[in-house]
């Protein structure tokens, strides 16, 4: 419950994909604070008792529902929507926070190496947000954020929610957490803002294609910056962004060569091999664990013809 909120967007007020002809769920004045009841990226197709069969039966027409859209009064093309991210509260199931991470066949950075479905169902304390346990092997620090957050595009028609776009969308930037201020380009009158695809934790890159996908209540304040003329989103964080992971240092693998995508694949595959050797994890478990807490970084992009991509895995997960 949000005592300071001006409006509430309920779970039923959601849509799939971007379309500037959708009727707004709400018309709000700039400066309004809004509570959104957001679904997880499966739109409830996966739950605390789900199995591999449920992963195989996923309806991809119902992936990544976003709550909204919100028509912000006075928003015009060329403005920026200023989104102050106030808070995330996990929705409780029998008193526990719920999340899931899956390897979905055909999806993810190493999809060719991991063709079979896999699923991990998470349970965690929604009040304390204490580390979520991965079996007996690991404990993952949580940092909730919204994976999909953006405005409607100027182009008419229905557009998939899967790829990120210049007006935002499925950005999957894990630092869009509480306290961050996000600025989104406005391309249509009213902006037509929506948010969803909430996560309890994710590494930079979301390498297997899923994070800890977790339904949450999100509180945001929407305002305008007139005439900002942003080309793409930008954001400001309130402080350091990796303190929840830094304490014990990192294991790091690399990928080196003339292609950044190949380098990213090599860096992740090398980390999967390392975790299997050091921790006795199965390859698919190591891959999914990398997706929820490991970070892909471009370490060097100037010493042609080869570039360096690194993958950082936090040692605190195992300690």
């Amino acid at each position: 419950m949000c005592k300071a909120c001006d409006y509430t967007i309920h779970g039923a007020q959601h849509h799939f994909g971007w379309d500037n002809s959708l009727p707004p769920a709400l018309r709000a004045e700039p400066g309004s604070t809004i509570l959104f009841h957001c679904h997880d990226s499966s739109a409830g197709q996966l739950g605390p008792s789900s199995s591999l069969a449920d992963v195989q039966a996923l309806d991809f027409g119902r992936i990544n529902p976003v709550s909204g859209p919100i028509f912000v009064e006075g928003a015009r093309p060329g403005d920026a929507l200023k989104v102050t991210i106030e808070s995330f509260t996990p929705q409780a199931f029998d008193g526990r926070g719920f999340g899931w991470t899956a390897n979905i066949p055909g999806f993810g950075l190493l999809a060719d190496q991991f063709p079979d479905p896999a699923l991990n169902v998470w349970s965690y304390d929604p009040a304390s947000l204490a580390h979520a346990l991965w079996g007996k092997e690991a404990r993952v620090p949580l940092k909730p954020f919204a994976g999909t957050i953006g405005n409607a595009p100027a182009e008419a028609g229905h557009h998939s929610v899967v790829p990120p776009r210049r007006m935002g969308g499925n950005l999957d930037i894990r630092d869009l957490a509480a306290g961050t201020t996000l600025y989104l380009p406005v391309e249509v009158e009213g902006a037509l803002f929506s948010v969803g695809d909430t996560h309890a934790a994710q590494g930079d890159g979301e390498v297997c294609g899923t994070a800890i996908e977790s339904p949450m209540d999100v509180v945001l304040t929407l305002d305008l910056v007139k005439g900002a003329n942003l080309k793409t989103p930008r954001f400001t964080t309130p402080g350091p962004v990796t303190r929840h992971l830094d304490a014990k240092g990192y294991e790091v693998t690399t990928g080196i060569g003339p292609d950044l995508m190949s380098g990213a694949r090599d860096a992740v595959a090398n980390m999967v091999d390392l975790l299997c050797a050091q921790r006795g994890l199965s390859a698919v478990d190591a891959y999914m664990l990398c997706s929820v807490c490991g970070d892909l970084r471009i370490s060097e992009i100037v010493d042609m013809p080869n570039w360096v991509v690194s993958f950082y895995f936090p040692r605190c997960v195992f300690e």
Side-chain angles (χ1 to χ4, degrees):
M1 197 70 177
C2 177
K3 294 181 180 179
C5 289
D6 301 296
Y7 306 99
T8 298
I9 301 299
H10 296 282
Q13 295 171 293
H14 67 270
H15 57 97
F16 299 93
W18 303 105
D19 188 336
N20 62 31
S21 69
L22 290 174
L26 172 72
R27 297 180 75 104
E29 292 292 333
S32 296
T33 298
I34 304 171
L35 168 63
F36 297 83
H37 295 304
C38 293
H39 297 277
D40 72 280
S41 63
S42 77
Q45 295 180 77
L46 298 179
S49 60
S50 286
S51 67
L52 279 182
D54 298 309
V55 175
Q56 293 172 302
L58 280 173
D59 177 358
F60 284 89
R62 295 175 57 206
I63 290 296
N64 276 18
V66 284
S67 296
I70 308 301
F71 186 103
V72 180
E73 301 288 355
R76 300 288 186 273
D79 297 341
L81 188 68
K82 178 184 178 182
V83 183
T84 302
I85 302 173
E86 309 285 359
S87 67
F88 294 89
T89 303
Q91 297 169 12
F93 294 74
D94 295 325
R96 299 290 294 172
F98 151 74
W100 60 270
T101 303
N103 183 59
I104 299 172
F107 191 55
L109 184 64
L110 303 181
D112 57 325
Q113 299 178 33
F114 293 94
D116 299 320
L119 175 68
N120 186 74
V121 175
W122 304 80
S123 176
Y124 59 88
D125 184 343
S128 68
L129 290 176
H131 296 43
L133 299 181
W134 176 289
K136 298 180 180 179
E137 294 87 8
R139 49 197 297 272
V140 173
L142 302 184
K143 182 181 177 181
F145 73 101
T148 304
I149 184 167
N151 297 328
E155 291 84 2
H158 181 274
H159 303 273
S160 171
V161 78
V162 174
R165 301 176 184 277
R166 62 182 180 269
M167 25 48 72
N170 193 19
L171 298 173
D172 285 322
I173 299 174
R174 65 105 182 268
D175 297 325
L176 297 180
T180 292
T181 303
L182 171 66
Y183 299 86
L184 296 167
V186 173
E187 296 195 349
V188 298
E189 183 178 358
L192 295 178
F193 169 85
S194 301
V195 62
D197 180 28
T198 42
H199 299 163
Q202 181 202 286
D204 283 338
E206 196 185 22
V207 295
C208 87
T210 59
I212 300 183
E213 311 288 330
S214 186
M216 296 201 180
D217 295 339
V218 183
V219 177
L220 308 172
T221 298
L222 304 182
D223 215 332
L224 291 177
V225 180
K226 301 296 291 182
N229 292 313
L230 290 182
K231 294 181 179 179
T232 56
R234 70 172 182 88
F235 60 95
T236 301
T237 73
V241 295
T242 55
R243 280 182 176 165
H244 64 305
L245 299 173
D246 288 340
K248 300 294 183 178
Y250 295 82
E251 297 291 344
V252 184
T253 51
T254 62
I256 300 172
D259 182 81
L260 284 175
M261 183 59 74
S262 294
R265 285 169 50 85
D266 290 347
V268 174
N270 290 340
M271 182 57 71
V272 169
D273 290 344
L274 182 65
L275 293 178
C276 291
Q278 287 189 342
R279 300 292 174 176
L281 297 174
S282 71
V284 71
D285 279 354
Y287 180 42
M288 291 193 292
L289 199 54
C290 283
S291 194
V292 301
C293 59
D295 294 337
L296 269 173
R297 301 183 185 179
I298 298 175
S299 296
E300 179 274 305
I301 198 170
V302 296
D303 295 329
M304 63 179 67
N306 292 337
W307 329 125
V308 180
V309 180
S310 301
F311 192 82
Y312 282 64
F313 191 92
R315 293 167 55 87
C316 70
V317 169
F318 295 116
E319 298 187 17

